[in-house]
Amino acid sequence: SLETIFKKSFIEQFRLAKSSFESAAQYYVLDGFVTEHIEIARDLSQLYAVLVNEENETKRQIALQQRRIDLLEPLRTKINAKIFADLRAVLAFEIGDIASNMLDLKAKRVNDPQCNSIKAKNNACIRLRDLALSAYDDFATCCLTSHEKEKENKPDPAFVLDQDEALVFLKSRFYAARVQGRVFADKEPVTLLKLSLKRYTETVEIAKRIIHQRKFFQDSTHSFHQELAICEDMIELLPHKIQHAQNSGSILDETLLPPAPPPSSSSSSSSNTATSYPGGKTPIQFPA
């Protein structure tokens, strides 16, 4: 059938492109070609992202996303956060995005009544949650590192970030708050929910200071205001969820969670806009 022919051709093209990227990475090694090596790794990661979109099986999607993490995470931890702040920020956000989406896929499997090895899957979810948090926090740190000057205190995001940088920075804070509130058979779920509440509160405070000080996001139809409204809703909802957990020892249904970040993909459409990282070197696609 045409579908079979198309899929076979697609896989052949994927293998050819993958081989080319891997050959290039062997020439442009990390020691000496940091920027080139990381850009090649990100291109290969996006190649896997295209393959993820062609997969219908959740298990295969998770496996392909794991390959992306295995490809990018070692690079993030190897490069110096001060010298290569921009590159590390790019890697950190992409890893946070991948881990967050993997977490959603695995969480669905944990909640499946027919799921086996629930304990192992819960532990896998906890590891992904911790990785996503680490990556999103690393991204936020690198954003501010790009604006650091010698003998100055930590830069205030309300004053040093331009509008594009502020948007991505706040998204990282919003996504981190969401991930922090995911509970998977944790020993101290109330602590996690309180940390999530703290993150949402800090995100709203930073966002309002940015709006007040810099006059950014004045258009009320901007997607930023939708996410800000979700943060404010979570600040109202989470205390009830915390109280319920303290009283009953159980967690309310996760339908209270805000939506996940959009899946990382190399495909683009007219609904996407490119937002640059500090330094303006590397764009990433965010929904308009």
Side-chain angles (χ1 to χ4, degrees), residues 170-184:
L170 289 171
K171 282 180 179 291
S172 76
R173 303 297 79 216
F174 171 65
Y175 294 158
R178 177 188 181 277
V179 170
Q180 183 77 76
R182 306 300 297 272
V183 178
F184 301 96

Side-chain angles (χ1 to χ4, degrees), residues 72-119:
L72 300 177
E73 176 61 5
L75 297 177
R76 177 176 77 97
T77 57
K78 282 181 181 178
I79 61 175
N80 187 289
K82 288 188 176 293
I83 298 174
F84 299 106
D86 293 344
L87 289 174
R88 183 152 168 159
V90 170
L91 290 171
F93 198 101
E94 187 166 349
I95 291 165
D97 183 20
I98 298 166
S100 180
N101 281 282
M102 280 183 69
L103 181 58
D104 288 333
L105 291 172
K106 278 190 174 289
K108 290 178 182 178
R109 299 185 70 192
V110 169
N111 295 328
D112 186 341
Q114 298 179 343
C115 173
N116 297 319
S117 306
I118 291 180
K119 182 178 180 180

Side-chain angles (χ1 to χ4, degrees), residues 228-272:
L228 181 59
I230 292 173
C231 286
E232 291 172 335
D233 288 343
M234 293 304 297
I235 290 172
E236 290 187 15
L237 289 169
L238 276 172
H240 299 291
K241 197 171 182 179
I242 292 168
Q243 188 65 47
H244 178 84
Q246 289 174 329
N247 293 339
S248 67
S250 63
I251 304 298
L252 289 172
D253 195 300
E254 287 207 339
T255 53
L256 287 175
L257 281 172
S264 177
S265 170
S266 61
S267 61
S268 61
S269 67
S270 59
S271 64
N272 286 344

Side-chain angles (χ1 to χ4, degrees), residues 48-93:
Y48 277 116
V50 174
L51 198 56
V52 170
N53 291 336
E54 297 298 319
E55 281 292 340
N56 296 320
E57 294 184 13
T58 301
K59 187 174 181 180
R60 281 285 298 158
Q61 290 176 341
I62 292 172
L64 289 168
Q65 294 283 40
Q66 184 62 53
R67 290 192 183 186
R68 299 178 67 196
I69 287 179
D70 293 342
L71 180 68
L72 300 177
E73 176 61 5
L75 297 177
R76 177 176 77 97
T77 57
K78 282 181 181 178
I79 61 175
N80 187 289
K82 288 188 176 293
I83 298 174
F84 299 106
D86 293 344
L87 289 174
R88 183 152 168 159
V90 170
L91 290 171
F93 198 101

